[in-house]
Amino acid sequence: MPQYQIGPKRLVVGAHYGLKEWIIQRITAIVMVVFTVVLLVDYCVTGGTGYAAWSSLFSNQFMKLLTLLALLSLFYHAWIGIRDIWMDYVKPVSIRLGLQVLTVLYLVACAAYAVQILWKV
Amino acid sequence: MVDAQQDFKKDKPVFRNIGLAQLIHYRLPWAGKVSILHRISGAVLFLLLPFILYLLDQSLASEQTHQAFQGLTSNVLVKLICLGLIWCFLHHFCAGIRYLLLDLEIGISKAESNRSAIIVFFLGLGLTAIVGLKMFAIY
């Protein structure tokens, strides 16, 4: 076995992104859980289902930033999850790479849309 | 040596990944059911992100778009799609929290993790039912 194949039994590969992404997926999940709780509590306290009550929730600068953080967390979280799906089910490298690139572009576009939505209010 | 190895390999049974036809008959444990539904619900939420963001946009942009939003979401078909998305969110949420607890080594025994998987499965459905009944103004 050539020297560069580290490990006694098989080729060991990797760019050390596994653990980092694993942790990020958990951290972004926690951010989204916190946001969900804050939004629910805020909604219940403010009450009312009309436009005025709903839009005043998001006109608050703190809530805007928290919503943006939660949405950015969502997009990063979705990237890791969808990347895992492509890695599990799509074997040809060219198709997989293509799908991964499309996923990233799609999520970046979603992020831009999210910023536009929040700063219109 | 190599020939001997190859002969030996020929006699060995080969286990491939199970095929699509076998999947239907494959009985997953509760944790497995919750896991694949976690993946499917995540994928659906991902695919419908533009629709979700569009609804948020319409509900927030102005008084007029908010009225259009209320008109759109009073459609029965749209309501059903939203209810589907709400199940996806609630299931993904509950199953995700179960995973976070498992990561902290809470409830990792076989019996406990089986029980928590059953709880997550029915909690997702139950919460969706509560929202659904509210949406269709049953209470």
Side-chain angles (χ1 to χ4, degrees):
Chain A
M1 186 182 276
Q3 272 293 303
Y4 55 82
Q5 293 187 351
I6 305 155
K9 291 267 195 281
R10 60 188 160 167
L11 178 66
V12 179
V13 291
H16 299 280
Y17 49 69
L19 180 66
K20 193 187 96 188
E21 304 278 74
W22 184 88
I23 290 174
I24 290 174
Q25 197 164 35
R26 268 106 194 126
I27 293 170
T28 51
I30 292 166
V31 171
M32 286 185 281
V33 170
V34 170
F35 172 73
T36 306
V37 173
V38 169
L39 184 64
L40 263 178
V41 170
D42 223 356
Y43 182 75
C44 293
V45 168
T46 319
T49 47
Y51 174 72
W54 180 241
S55 63
S56 75
L57 253 183
F58 291 92
S59 59
N60 182 313
Q61 178 66 16
F62 175 74
M63 191 59 182
K64 252 190 201 99
L65 288 174
L66 187 62
T67 310
L68 185 66
L69 275 182
L71 285 172
L72 292 178
S73 294
L74 191 157
F75 301 137
Y76 205 156
H77 188 93
W79 156 242
I80 298 167
I82 299 299
R83 183 204 66 154
D84 287 351
I85 291 181
W86 299 144
M87 290 201 300
D88 280 352
Y89 304 128
V90 183
K91 293 302 167 194
V93 175
S94 57
I95 300 175
R96 188 199 287 177
L97 182 65
L99 287 168
Q100 286 179 338
V101 169
L102 286 177
T103 306
V104 171
L105 295 176
Y106 175 87
L107 288 170
V108 171
C110 283
Y113 187 28
V115 171
Q116 193 190 11
I117 292 168
L118 285 172
W119 266 269
K120 255 190 319 201
V121 184
Chain B
M1 173 67 186
V2 173
D3 286 348
Q5 265 184 348
Q6 276 170 351
D7 284 345
F8 176 65
K9 272 182 183 169
K10 261 178 216 159
D11 300 333
K12 261 172 66 174
V14 179
F15 297 103
R16 310 286 302 178
N17 286 343
I18 59 170
L20 276 179
Q22 290 164 285
L23 274 179
I24 300 156
H25 306 290
Y26 197 84
R27 290 189 301 133
L28 281 170
W30 281 102
K33 287 195 183 87
V34 165
S35 174
I36 191 64
L37 288 172
H38 188 239
R39 173 161 280 193
I40 292 168
S41 58
V44 171
L45 287 169
F46 167 79
L47 287 174
L48 290 183
L49 265 180
F51 175 66
I52 299 164
L53 287 172
Y54 173 75
L55 286 183
L56 180 66
D57 187 14
Q58 289 283 294
S59 75
L60 280 177
S62 71
E63 192 87 53
Q64 286 77 31
T65 60
H66 191 81
Q67 275 173 2
F69 160 80
Q70 283 181 327
L72 179 68
T73 49
S74 62
N75 182 304
V76 177
L77 188 66
V78 177
K79 269 189 189 175
L80 284 174
I81 293 170
C82 287
L83 197 59
L85 281 173
I86 286 165
W87 174 80
C88 286
F89 172 78
L90 289 169
H91 181 83
H92 206 87
F93 188 91
C94 296
I97 286 175
R98 175 172 173 269
Y99 285 139
L100 288 174
L101 293 176
L102 289 174
D103 285 342
L104 296 171
E105 303 197 351
I106 297 168
I108 45 172
S109 78
K110 201 172 172 181
E112 281 176 320
S113 71
N114 185 55
R115 199 180 333 128
S116 66
I118 295 172
I119 292 170
V120 161
F121 183 81
F122 287 103
L123 193 61
L125 284 177
L127 291 173
T128 309
I130 292 170
V131 178
L133 291 174
K134 187 78 187 168
M135 264 171 102
F136 288 94
I138 308 288
Y139 67 89

